[in-house]
Amino acid sequence: MKTLSDTKVNLSEQTRAQVTSILNQLLADLSDLCSQCKQAHWNVRGSLFYPLHKVFDDLAESIGGHLDPLAERITALGGVASGTVRQAAALSALPEFPHGPSEGLAYVTAMIDRFGLAANAVRKAIDDTAALGDAGTADLLTGVSQDLDKGLWFLEAHTRS
Ligand SMILES: [Fe+2]
């Protein structure tokens, strides 16, 4: 079955298939991460409630803002974006949000793990897409990487000196 649309983009079909696969994995990971930020935003409790409630919402907004550009890069390359909640759940490489205590720092620790996984996956994807000759995708991912690293800093600052 042909999975890529024809396009004048002069990257080979094989390259476009590899890049769109990488991007669909990241779309799933970041959709999952965004929803987990919201889960933390809604359910956090404890003495740090309000600042963490706000931080988790800010992080969800930051990550959520990257979903549309990622999905549209997939379609610009002739691919099909796998962007539904069910597709994200099936494909995401992140662990599910913990069902444990909702005390603030437990949530921060859980989100540090997930932001670290996502940030490092995007960093690898920058190298992989650049090596495939797709500088446009590598450039798009650089901004995503910077925001994930910044989010990680915001989270880690709560737990590290
Ligand atoms: Fe809210």
Side-chain angles (χ1 to χ4, degrees), residues 53-120:
H53 175 72
K54 175 135 185 18
V55 163
F56 290 135
D57 207 28
D58 290 346
L59 292 173
E61 186 175 346
S62 168
I63 302 311
H66 291 295
L67 299 178
D68 197 57
L70 285 181
E72 292 183 354
R73 182 68 185 165
I74 293 168
T75 47
L77 294 173
V80 176
S82 300
T84 69
V85 171
R86 292 182 210 210
Q87 287 169 325
L91 196 58
S92 174
L94 304 185
E96 172 60 296
F97 193 81
H99 291 291
S102 59
E103 180 274 325
L105 288 180
Y107 273 15
V108 169
T109 300
M111 294 311 292
I112 286 172
D113 291 342
R114 287 150 183 78
F115 265 76
L117 288 168
N120 294 328

Side-chain angles (χ1 to χ4, degrees), residues 122-137:
V122 171
R123 207 178 328 280
K124 181 176 187 307
I126 293 169
D127 290 343
D128 290 347
T129 55
L132 287 164
D134 185 355
T137 295

Side-chain angles (χ1 to χ4, degrees), residues 2-5 20-21 24 27 71 74-83 87:
K2 185 173 171 59
T3 55
L4 291 174
S5 300
T20 54
S21 174
N24 263 320
L27 181 63
I74 293 168
T75 47
L77 294 173
V80 176
S82 300
Q87 287 169 325

Side-chain angles (χ1 to χ4, degrees), residues 38 41-42 53 57:
K38 277 295 194 182
H41 166 70
W42 294 322
H53 175 72
D57 207 28

